[in-house]
Amino acid sequence: MTPLDQGIDKARVLIEALPYIQKFAGKTVVIKYGGHAMLDQDLKESVMLDILLLHSVGIRPVVVHGGGPEINTMLNKVGKESQFIRGLRVTDEETMEIAAMVLVGKLNTEIVSLLNHFGGRAVGLSGKDAQLLQAVKKPLKVQNQQGEYEEVDLGFVGEIEQVSPGIIESLLDQGYIPVISPLAGGVDGESYNINADTAAGKIAEALEADKFLLLTDVRGVLKDVKDPESLISVIKQEEVPKLLETGILMGGMIPKVECALEALDGGVGSVHILDGRILHAILLELFTDGGIGTMIV
């Protein structure tokens, strides 16, 4: 292929993206950043460059990040074992301190630094800043061996009661990229750890985002979990109960889809579940005709 042919191919890619760039310009896109894409350096840079390209063409990206594996690593270093109940980390006072240190002091700073290194204008926040996320202690009941439901104390795990997105909107209006760690303040003055998917979904609702992207370690929703080619590209909200009944939705995908449905009910335009392990997954999902993940509408 000659240099001219290569140039023409690049031009075709830009032309394919043009209608989507025009359609999404000025719109808010919330990206939940997590999974393997946070651990591999090449994938980290791929995600950051995707976010910067969105920003450069007039889209308003908001990043909400997780950090479960890094919190586990730090807890192991101090000899503390992680305990989970229904996928939620039991968070005592020491675990809360370590989670805050990892999420705010390490990961948030790293993401902001990398975005700015590539020429972005990123600003780091936690849900505690400007009362962005207000939470109460999350109640949870589980069934014991006798079949009775009893209250379980998750510690400093929170359930979001209120989102005040003013600080995010102000930063977006000034051309910044907000990067948010999923901690919340409580009316009792405590700090609470929030599930990152949930935090991102609630923020997307509060901003009435046009799109909410969930980066995961799977292709999206699959008809057959053993066949990565059985991807379901589009799911309508009313189709979800049948997918649950037939077992197509199972395991860790269920809470992600539930989070997506809540976001749609809250006014978000569409939710996309996509594989963050694919280089430039965000651009491929938003700016190509086929997309690469599952869109829920």
Side-chain angles (χ1 to χ4, degrees):
M1 183 179 286
T2 68
L4 177 60
D5 290 333
Q6 291 175 347
I8 291 171
D9 279 349
K10 289 178 181 177
R12 287 195 182 109
V13 171
L14 292 170
I15 293 300
E16 181 182 348
L18 179 60
Y20 300 101
I21 292 172
Q22 291 173 323
K23 180 179 179 182
F24 302 142
K27 301 294 177 62
T28 299
V29 174
V30 174
I31 301 160
K32 189 271 173 167
Y33 175 42
H36 195 73
M38 289 190 75
L39 304 176
D40 180 276
Q41 187 60 32
D42 289 339
L43 290 174
K44 281 184 188 178
E45 294 185 3
S46 168
V47 172
M48 298 305 113
L49 290 170
D50 284 7
I51 292 167
L52 286 174
L53 196 146
L54 297 186
H55 186 256
S56 297
V57 298
I59 296 169
R60 292 153 53 101
V62 176
V63 182
V64 182
H65 66 86
E70 290 84 355
I71 295 172
N72 290 341
T73 299
M74 186 61 72
L75 288 171
N76 288 336
K77 284 183 179 178
V78 300
K80 195 170 182 66
E81 188 175 342
S82 298
Q83 181 186 356
F84 291 88
I85 299 176
R86 288 192 183 172
L88 297 170
R89 184 190 304 275
V90 177
T91 307
D92 60 16
E93 189 170 350
E94 184 183 13
T95 302
M96 186 66 226
E97 288 179 4
I98 291 171
M101 180 176 67
V102 172
L103 290 169
V104 180
K106 182 176 185 291
L107 295 176
N108 192 276
T109 302
E110 286 178 358
I111 296 166
V112 169
S113 296
L114 194 52
L115 282 168
N116 291 341
H117 170 72
F118 287 126
R121 299 178 69 213
V123 175
L125 300 170
S126 83
K128 295 180 68 176
D129 290 319
Q131 297 185 321
L132 170 57
L133 299 178
Q134 290 286 291
V136 294
K137 186 180 175 74
K138 185 175 180 66
L140 183 67
K141 289 187 176 181
V142 296
Q143 205 168 12
N144 61 25
Q145 293 180 341
Q146 289 74 40
E148 301 169 338
Y149 283 91
E150 56 185 25
E151 193 85 28
V152 174
D153 186 4
L154 291 169
F156 295 97
V157 174
E159 185 171 79
I160 295 173
E161 277 212 325
Q162 183 177 339
V163 182
S164 302
I167 182 66
I168 302 176
E169 291 167 340
S170 178
L171 289 169
L172 289 172
D173 290 343
Q174 294 177 69
Y176 292 103
I177 302 171
V179 179
I180 304 160
S181 55
L183 297 180
V187 292
D188 52 6
E190 298 287 359
S191 297
Y192 288 100
N193 193 13
I194 307 291
N195 175 275
D197 289 352
T198 302
K202 292 296 184 184
I203 288 169
E205 287 180 41
L207 293 170
E208 296 184 345
D210 190 67
K211 291 187 177 295
F212 172 30
L213 274 56
L214 280 158
L215 298 189
T216 69
D217 287 340
V218 292
R219 288 283 308 276
V221 179
L222 305 175
K223 290 180 182 176
D224 179 356
V225 292
K226 298 177 182 177
D227 180 9
E229 300 304 315
S230 64
L231 178 73
I232 304 175
S233 294
V234 180
I235 296 174
K236 294 180 180 177
Q237 194 169 3
E238 60 267 24
E239 295 172 345
V240 170
K242 186 176 180 181
L243 295 176
L244 285 166
E245 288 173 18
T246 56
I248 290 174
L249 283 177
M250 57 189 293
M253 188 57 70
I254 293 175
K256 291 190 183 299
V257 172
E258 288 175 344
C259 177
L261 296 181
E262 284 187 27
L264 291 172
D265 286 339
V268 174
S270 61
V271 182
H272 303 248
I273 301 173
L274 59 151
D275 191 345
R277 299 170 300 176
I278 297 173
L279 286 172
H280 302 298
I282 295 171
L283 298 185
L284 290 170
E285 178 67 13
L286 294 184
F287 290 164
T288 62
D289 293 337
I292 61 163
T294 297
M295 178 170 71
I296 305 177
V297 295

